[in-house]
Amino acid sequence: MTTHADRVAYLHEAGFNTFLLRSEDVYIDLLTDSGTNAMSDRQWAGMMMGDEAYAGSRNFYALEEAVRTYYGFPELIPTHQGRGAENILSKILIKPGDHVPGNMYFTTTRAHQELAGATFHDVIIDDAHDPASNHPFKGDVDLAKFEALVREVGADRVPYITVSATVNLAGGQPISLANLRAVAEYSRAHGIKVILDATRAVENAWFIQQREPGMAGVTVAEILKQLCALADGATMSGKKDSLVNIGGWLGLRDPRLAEKARGLVVLYEGLHTYGGLAGRDMEAMAIGIGESVQEDYIRSRIGQVHYLGQKLIDAGVPVVRPLGGHAVFLDAAAILDHLPREEFPAQALAAALYLESGVRSMERGAVSAGRDPETGENRYPALELVRLTIPRRVYTQAHMDVVAESVIEVVEQRAGVRGLRFTYEPELLRFFQARFEET
Ligand code: F0G
């Protein structure tokens, strides 16, 4: 725990950017659910069974088996984390001048697509941009937007569509099986590949079980398989669903494409049977995959997120509705409606929350969205959010109570929260290292 005076000093040192705080100065850390999970006794036992051979580690084959069993992709290329897989996939599929649609963007995914020479197009349904819409599948692709893009640029300039399940920046919102099926049918007819961002697909599968007609009696494991069956490949950050601290993979069906990917993984990550991971990390991820689809686990995981969200809703705090899978997203534009978008209300709200109680959250708004690569102008996405992201198997309901009380306190004091302006703005993925001062 820290005092208010400590936190004033730490926040100024960090340039009002929660990414630049030291972890030891944070009381409850809701920056991300990425790599912050607590591993189980079984996973730790697996860590002791690392086969650290350079080539052909036993743990690689355990991971390959787990991915085939639970995700159904026959070809597995391990990577150090999700963005390693995104880099390789973007390089093997994109030619300069191509166009890649997706159901909203994710920061690293879009950055790799743009670095490979593609233009990204958001084809998510309009409801996703409205924090108050209660649509049960706000992650769905708007097929009309997707088709309009393909007609405009030509199917041969669209190598693939990225479909995220769930959609992080929309608030952890799921896509429906029916929608993905329709996307896959249309894509197949036009020679466009479907690439699933499977980072939180287990959480997505749980929402399908809860909300999609006819799916109530189907297990989360089975739904996960059905989701993946509709995709030609998947990029995965094991640091989320798979309950590990590091690890990811690229899963593919086409062996020729997998050969190309293996050629690149050796350059960027490591040999194709370790991809930047220690053997023990692959073992922990293989075990985590099996644990992640257990019904009791996934119910309690999302139940905890919803416990926090419901407390905030009951107190009248504007949050993204319906509540998502990995986080509660505060509607910063609504809470700090005295600040113009140019003064980054979400960045300011995250800073104010840290100051209040030492709870660390993350800006997901205009700072994260960056600048348009062509015009150089700031991008102002419809959503200006602060993410309270819940690590898996780490915190108790009592911690959630503290978080709720702190947020409610900040909302009551909101008139005193000032806007921010850049004192340092990095060119790429600026939100990680940017610094600010109060306006
Ligand atoms: N895709 C999604 C939907 C993600 O949320 C992330 C990471 C990645 C890909 C990249 O994976 O971090 O293993 O390289 N999201 C983290 C977050 C950073 O905090 O939401 P990675």
Side-chain angles (χ1 to χ4, degrees), residues 6-149:
D6 289 339
R7 292 194 293 274
V8 170
Y10 299 148
L11 192 64
H12 280 85
E13 270 169 43
F16 290 85
N17 184 349
T18 53
F19 276 104
L20 299 180
L21 289 167
R22 288 172 184 235
S23 153
E24 63 186 8
D25 300 333
V26 170
Y27 180 39
I28 298 176
D29 201 348
L30 306 187
L31 185 73
T32 178
D33 63 330
S34 180
T36 52
N37 308 301
M39 292 207 296
S40 68
D41 51 353
R42 283 158 191 270
Q43 286 177 292
W44 278 105
M47 293 288 279
M48 297 295 127
M49 310 273 273
D51 172 3
E52 307 303 343
Y54 189 86
S57 159
R58 185 157 31 83
N59 313 123
F60 166 76
Y61 295 104
L63 179 61
E64 187 183 57
E65 186 57 32
V67 171
R68 284 181 182 162
T69 303
Y70 293 102
Y71 292 85
F73 295 105
E75 304 284 345
L76 173 76
I77 293 101
T79 56
H80 76 287
Q81 58 186 87
R83 65 200 69 179
E86 291 164 1
N87 175 35
I88 291 166
L89 184 85
S90 304
K91 283 203 161 66
I92 60 175
L93 287 182
I94 292 171
K95 292 187 299 301
D98 278 353
H99 298 265
V100 178
N103 52 346
M104 209 174 259
Y105 79 102
F106 183 71
T107 51
T108 58
T109 320
R110 184 179 65 188
H112 278 301
Q113 291 163 353
E114 289 176 349
L115 279 174
T119 306
F120 172 81
H121 300 266
D122 182 4
V123 294
I124 203 166
I125 56 171
D126 285 339
D127 284 84
H129 296 287
D130 173 8
S133 156
N134 254 316
H135 193 296
F137 291 104
K138 275 171 121 172
D140 278 358
V141 171
D142 186 327
L143 278 151
K145 288 185 196 169
F146 180 26
E147 290 173 21
L149 172 73

Side-chain angles (χ1 to χ4, degrees), residues 32 81-83 86 106 108 168 197 199-200 237 240 387:
T32 178
Q81 58 186 87
R83 65 200 69 179
E86 291 164 1
F106 183 71
T108 58
N168 189 352
D197 181 339
T199 296
R200 298 182 185 85
S237 170
K240 284 78 166 177
R387 187 179 74 169

Side-chain angles (χ1 to χ4, degrees), residues 6 97 146 177 186 208 262 271 286 294 309 312 326 333 375 380 388:
D6 289 339
F146 180 26
L177 208 48
Y186 176 83
I208 289 174
R262 289 192 184 100
L271 196 76
Q294 289 171 10
L312 295 177
H326 66 303
T375 66
Y380 290 106
L388 304 167

Side-chain angles (χ1 to χ4, degrees), residues 27-28 304 308 359 394-404:
Y27 180 39
I28 298 176
Q304 187 179 42
L308 172 62
V359 171
V394 172
Y395 288 118
T396 65
Q397 300 312 56
H399 291 101
M400 296 301 112
D401 292 342
V402 173
V403 174

